[in-house]
Amino acid sequence: MAVFTHELRRLFAGRAWWAMLFLLAPLAGYGFVEAVRLFGEASRTALQFPEMARGMTPLDGILVPTLGAFYLGTTLLFPFVAIRALGQDKESGALKLTLQWPLQPAALVAVKLAAVCAAWSLSLAVPLSALVFWQVAGGHLAPAETANLFLGHALYALAVAGIAFFAAALAESAATAAIVTLAFTLGFWVLDFAAATGPEWLKALGEISPTQALKQFERGLLPAAHGLSLAVLGLGLALLAALILPPGLSRSARFKRGAAGVTVLVALLAATSMLNLSVDVSEDRRNSFNPADEAAIARMDRGLAISLYLTPEDSRAQEYERNVLVKLKRLVPDLTVRWEETGKAGVFGAAGDEGYGRIVYAYAGRNATSRSNSPREILPLLHELAGATVTPVETPPYPGYPRVANARPAELWFYGLLPGLILLAFWRHARARRLPIHLRSIQGEFS
């Protein structure tokens, strides 16, 4: 506990954490203010037409944009805080003295990682204050999907911290480690962009991106595979950093340890990716079918194969994947999806290609073809293939929560008062550290 407190004090003594906190205030504030403004404009129409209110979800309209801005801070600013915990000791030579403590390198890295995660958790005060403004204004928040989204961001921050620790253990200086870490995180963005329009193997590779894992939480899903992958990536890279950290290791020993650690980490990530378990925690059940339909689909254990004669960038394919395919992947025990070659050059397919747009379903030796991307037409077709008769269960419709709120108080807080309070706290902390020891004791007696 004493080592943890020492590491936490060292993080607060540096400027990296304070700079991150100061920049997060206007960054997350801008995301929240713009989200409230756009949500309010859409709510004015929804309040006049109640049937449109069902599309007004605070998860999409408020939570994701606010924490999306916070995500940028975690990606671009948080690595500098994490690197300071390990890279500065290595650069200054203090690591050699630190490793003489009665702690193994793995335990020392674990303590430093816990301190870094605690510092990140304190920065959550910025987006949490936005949610306080939203609720004070009468806005609605669903506890399950809100907690799930924060969990996703926490796991993402753990992965970023693991990358930063690994980079700090590899590099000779903190500046080089920062460049390596940003190369990793920005490289994931490039991979996401390439996977969106690339071939099938590139889409499969893009699934390992931490950003893609975070998107599952933003959809209201609690995915076991993506959540464990983020945790394994962060903790595994931190442990790998501990393996190659001791200064006395030769290059060959460091390489052997690193290669063995990377092999085990890749195997663990491959194992977690095979988990097909997720829970829909969204309040509007956007990732679920009717309970009766889900129960019947979950019993389709004889291998369902779907062949899509569409290109992934087609809007019909994207709508099908969002409304049908994502839900089927959660439910069907043995599902195979193939994007067939269409010979299509443009967005609308080749001229005269009558086969383009088909979706072929094969199950238990039976086949069916459809061009629809609507669950209302696809679910009866799947039940017919399985030989099941399903009567949908009556479920209450999602009411929606339109809200026109005044964002002016939030602007004053995020653009003025909160940054001022952060600067004041930093000044008082720095001043207290500069005071002589006897003056500190006197100040403590009068405080």
Side-chain angles (χ1 to χ4, degrees):
M1 187 64 185
V3 180
F4 171 79
T5 304
H6 170 73
E7 292 295 333
L8 199 58
R9 286 178 177 175
R10 289 183 66 243
L11 288 175
F12 293 156
R15 298 179 179 178
W17 184 78
W18 294 99
M20 180 187 76
L21 200 63
F22 178 78
L23 293 174
L24 280 177
L27 190 64
Y30 177 79
F32 174 70
V33 169
E34 286 299 302
V36 170
R37 182 181 63 82
L38 294 175
F39 196 81
E41 292 179 357
S43 295
R44 289 188 179 93
T45 305
L47 290 172
Q48 296 177 1
F49 302 95
E51 63 275 8
M52 298 181 62
R54 297 177 183 177
M56 304 303 299
T57 60
L59 175 63
D60 295 327
I62 301 297
L63 287 173
V64 171
T66 302
L67 287 175
F70 186 77
Y71 153 81
L72 291 178
T74 302
T75 303
L76 302 177
L77 303 176
F78 181 57
F80 295 94
V81 179
I83 288 169
R84 176 182 172 83
L86 189 61
Q88 193 176 45
D89 285 354
K90 185 178 180 181
E91 187 176 3
S92 64
L95 180 63
K96 296 179 180 179
L97 298 175
T98 306
L99 289 176
Q100 295 179 11
W101 292 354
L103 282 176
Q104 295 295 325
L108 178 62
V109 170
V111 171
K112 288 180 176 290
L113 182 63
V116 167
C117 292
W120 179 86
S121 299
L122 291 175
S123 69
L124 286 176
V126 177
L128 285 175
S129 65
L131 302 190
V132 171
F133 276 105
W134 177 245
Q135 287 211 299
V136 169
H140 173 79
L141 291 175
E145 63 185 18
T146 303
N148 180 67
L149 184 56
F150 274 91
L151 173 63
H153 280 270
L155 292 172
Y156 177 77
L158 176 62
V160 171
I163 294 171
F165 272 46
F166 181 61
L170 283 177
E172 295 298 328
S173 66
T176 305
I179 294 174
V180 173
T181 305
L182 289 178
F184 268 97
T185 54
L186 297 179
F188 288 132
W189 288 358
V190 176
L191 180 61
D192 295 338
F193 178 78
T197 58
E200 189 64 24
W201 67 268
L202 193 57
K203 291 188 66 176
L205 185 62
E207 290 296 323
I208 69 173
S209 169
T211 306
Q212 290 297 323
L214 183 58
K215 287 181 179 179
Q216 301 297 316
F217 291 90
E218 292 178 344
R219 295 186 185 118
L221 279 174
L222 178 56
H226 292 89
L228 286 176
S229 295
L230 288 174
V232 167
L233 180 62
L235 296 175
L237 287 177
L239 181 59
L240 189 56
L243 290 176
I244 64 176
L245 186 62
L249 287 177
S250 63
R251 286 189 175 182
S252 59
R254 198 183 303 271
F255 176 79
K256 290 178 182 178
R257 286 189 176 191
V262 168
T263 302
V264 173
L265 180 58
V266 170
L268 288 175
L269 290 174
T272 57
S273 65
M274 295 180 183
L275 294 174
N276 187 25
L277 175 64
S278 60
V279 180
D280 184 9
V281 298
S282 62
E283 192 175 17
D284 60 355
R285 302 188 78 252
R286 67 184 64 187
N287 306 295
S288 304
F289 296 122
N290 186 275
D293 292 314
E294 288 194 341
I297 291 174
R299 292 192 294 267
M300 297 179 66
D301 56 357
R302 299 176 64 181
L304 174 63
I306 302 177
S307 301
L308 295 98
Y309 291 84
L310 289 162
T311 56
E313 63 269 16
D314 193 311
S315 60
R316 289 172 290 178
Q318 294 174 1
E319 186 176 353
Y320 177 81
E321 187 167 9
R322 182 172 58 252
N323 295 335
V324 178
L325 199 54
V326 170
K327 302 175 184 180
L328 290 178
K329 288 179 179 179
R330 290 184 51 244
L331 300 170
V332 180
D334 184 13
L335 176 65
T336 303
V337 180
R338 291 188 294 268
W339 295 86
E340 302 291 351
E341 181 64 36
T342 60
K344 172 182 176 303
V347 177
F348 300 102
D353 185 3
E354 297 182 357
Y356 182 78
R358 290 180 299 139
I359 303 175
V360 180
Y361 303 87
Y363 179 75
R366 293 188 290 271
N367 297 312
T369 302
S370 173
R371 293 178 180 270
S372 173
N373 54 13
S374 172
R376 293 182 179 180
E377 298 184 27
I378 295 170
L379 290 177
L381 185 148
L382 293 177
H383 297 326
E384 184 179 351
L385 286 176
T389 302
V390 178
T391 303
V393 178
E394 289 291 334
T395 57
Y398 179 70
Y401 296 94
R403 169 62 59 179
V404 180
N406 181 17
R408 184 61 180 172
E411 290 181 349
L412 297 176
W413 169 253
F414 286 109
Y415 299 155
L417 187 56
L418 181 57
L421 290 175
I422 293 172
L423 288 177
L424 178 61
F426 171 69
W427 176 78
R428 286 180 60 87
H429 183 77
R431 182 172 177 271
R433 291 182 62 249
R434 288 196 299 266
L435 285 175
I437 296 177
H438 68 282
L439 290 181
R440 290 185 201 174
S441 60
I442 294 174
Q443 187 187 48
E445 293 178 1
F446 286 94
S447 61

